[in-house]
Amino acid sequence: FPGENRATSSAAVAITRQRNEAALYESEARFTQAFEHSSVGVGFIGSDGRMFKVNRAMCDILGYHSDELVGQNYNDLTHVEDRERSDAYVARLKRGEIESFQHEKRYIHKSGRTVWAILSVSMVRGERGQPMYAVAQVLDISAMRLAEDERNLIFDYSLDLLCLAGIDGAFKQLNPAWSRVLGWERSELLGRPYLELVHPEDLVATLAAGERLRSGVPVIEFENRYRGKNGSYRLLSWNSFPLPDAGVTLAVVRDVTARNAAERERREIEERLRESQKMESLGALAGGIAHDFNNILAVILGNVSLAERALERGVAVGDKLKQIEIAGQRAVDLVQQIMAFSRRQPQQLRV
């Protein structure tokens, strides 16, 4: 039955075609869904450099409606300082020297502000390898760059000395405060082991602090002397934090030379004040002692004079001698008080 076979064959072809069309439709629907709802900006760019299809994210990133972007040359949206580099990449892509490229670049938003982005571009080619159109993917990193710029501002303008050092002890990053405090240019310190400038008398303690950092323990308020370019030493206070995942140590360092000198001067002033107060106390004590000794001597000498007269008349002098003994004992007590004041061990005095 030839006619029946032909009909069956035609039906099979039709069914296959319908399935293929359904699969193609489903594939296109999935692509459209992914294209429109992607968080990354996507644009198709023709060989003339003009965009002929963009998704919603690309519109949001650049601030334009899709109707405004379609037909625009990508260079018109590129920051003027980045155009030459973008053109060079595109030229290499068209010549087949590279299959794709990625780099950080700036776009100009419709409002005029700069948009920082990571651009990834690949070329779609025809059967003979001829370039047909490019697919550009744009990831907006403006917020990240802003945060990075803010961190850099804090790093650059901090009055404290900030640094990153590798596990080998060499400086990897330094802020300008190092030059201001120590006089070294940053280029002279980068890559240099931080131990080279430590005062020899502080080297052992600094090595011990480094061991604690290598074991993952932060080192807080560690002080050592550090040599400046002019040969003098500054006293530095280190707060260091190991970052093992990054393989570096972050240090926040403060110059405490002036503070230490002021503290030393304050202690000297306080010591001089204590000495002055002690001398005043000694002066007052000496005046009191002199007065008491005058009274004691008056008693002793007076009773000696009375005893001499009594002896001339043959009168007993026992009571006079007793008064002299009492006065002498008062003198002994007074001397013991003086020695106690001077914090010496009193000797046993006898009269």
Side-chain angles (χ1 to χ4, degrees):
F1 305 96
E4 185 177 345
N5 288 337
R6 284 196 297 271
T8 301
S9 177
S10 298
V13 170
I15 291 172
T16 301
R17 184 185 301 114
Q18 287 176 356
R19 287 176 179 173
N20 289 339
E21 289 175 353
L24 180 61
Y25 176 80
E26 183 178 350
S27 175
E28 289 178 348
R30 284 199 300 267
F31 170 78
T32 301
Q33 194 78 355
F35 179 79
E36 289 298 335
H37 296 283
S38 172
S39 60
V40 176
V42 182
F44 293 167
I45 303 173
S47 58
D48 59 355
R50 298 181 182 278
M51 291 186 286
F52 61 86
K53 188 176 182 62
V54 293
N55 69 347
R56 186 183 306 168
M58 182 72 87
C59 296
D60 293 341
I61 291 170
L62 298 177
Y64 290 90
H65 190 272
S66 60
D67 294 341
E68 296 175 299
L69 284 178
V70 170
Q72 281 215 51
N73 190 291
Y74 73 89
N75 253 344
D76 295 337
L77 303 167
T78 300
H79 192 284
V80 63
E81 294 178 4
D82 294 341
R83 289 177 182 175
E84 184 176 350
R85 184 173 56 158
S86 287
D87 286 342
Y89 273 121
V90 170
R92 293 182 63 197
L93 193 65
K94 287 181 176 179
R95 292 194 298 267
E97 296 176 7
I98 54 176
E99 293 298 321
S100 62
F101 68 85
Q102 182 181 89
H103 70 103
E104 191 173 295
K105 67 175 290 186
R106 290 165 290 181
Y107 287 97
I108 302 301
H109 191 273
K110 185 177 181 179
S111 65
R113 66 178 175 86
T114 299
V115 176
W116 281 94
I118 294 177
L119 170 67
S120 301
V121 179
S122 57
M123 181 66 73
V124 177
R125 300 182 182 276
E127 293 181 356
R128 297 189 301 275
Q130 76 278 16
M132 297 177 62
Y133 61 90
V135 179
Q137 299 180 71
V138 177
L139 177 63
D140 186 357
I141 59 169
S142 299
M144 184 178 70
R145 281 300 300 254
L146 178 61
E148 184 179 324
D149 289 344
E150 290 174 349
R151 286 195 300 272
N152 288 338
L153 284 173
I154 294 171
F155 188 82
D156 289 341
Y157 288 97
S158 172
L159 296 178
D160 288 330
L161 291 72
L162 308 179
C163 71
L164 290 174
I167 56 176
D168 57 353
F171 287 118
K172 289 184 173 295
Q173 194 171 353
L174 299 152
N175 72 336
W178 286 85
S179 299
R180 177 176 51 79
V181 172
L182 296 174
W184 300 99
E185 294 296 330
R186 279 188 286 181
S187 59
E188 296 176 297
L189 293 177
L190 286 173
R192 189 172 186 173
Y194 72 93
L195 287 171
E196 283 188 6
L197 302 176
V198 174
H199 193 285
E201 295 177 3
D202 298 338
L203 192 56
V204 172
T206 304
L207 285 169
E211 286 299 321
R212 294 202 299 276
L213 287 170
R214 277 187 285 276
S215 65
V217 179
V219 174
I220 305 300
E221 293 185 353
F222 171 76
E223 293 185 358
N224 64 5
R225 287 163 289 180
Y226 221 66
R227 179 163 54 87
K229 191 169 184 178
N230 63 2
S232 64
Y233 284 89
R234 308 291 297 181
L235 183 65
L236 303 182
S237 177
W238 298 70
N239 291 305
S240 304
F241 307 91
L243 304 175
D245 292 342
V248 297
T249 293
L250 168 66
V252 180
V253 187
R254 181 160 294 182
D255 179 12
V256 295
T257 307
R259 187 189 72 184
N260 186 68
E263 180 65 22
R264 186 169 58 250
E265 183 179 0
R266 183 186 65 80
R267 289 196 298 268
E268 290 174 355
I269 291 173
E270 288 178 349
E271 182 62 27
R272 288 198 297 268
L273 180 60
R274 282 193 294 270
E275 288 296 323
S276 174
Q277 291 172 340
K278 185 176 180 180
M279 292 304 296
E280 290 178 3
S281 299
L282 287 174
L285 178 63
I289 290 171
H291 179 73
D292 287 348
F293 263 112
N294 279 334
N295 292 337
I296 292 169
L297 290 173
V299 171
I300 292 172
L301 294 174
N303 279 283
V304 167
S305 178
L306 292 174
E308 287 176 345
R309 293 177 185 175
L311 287 172
E312 290 175 356
R313 298 194 303 272
V315 178
V317 294
D319 60 335
K320 305 297 185 293
L321 294 175
K322 186 64 177 176
Q323 292 299 318
I324 292 172
E325 181 184 6
I326 292 172
Q329 188 58 51
R330 286 178 57 199
V332 170
D333 292 341
L334 188 58
V335 169
Q336 287 178 331
Q337 291 176 23
I338 295 170
M339 295 179 72
F341 182 83
S342 62
R343 296 182 180 177
R344 296 176 182 172
Q345 183 65 32
Q347 298 178 357
Q348 185 66 33
L349 298 182
R350 294 177 182 172
V351 178

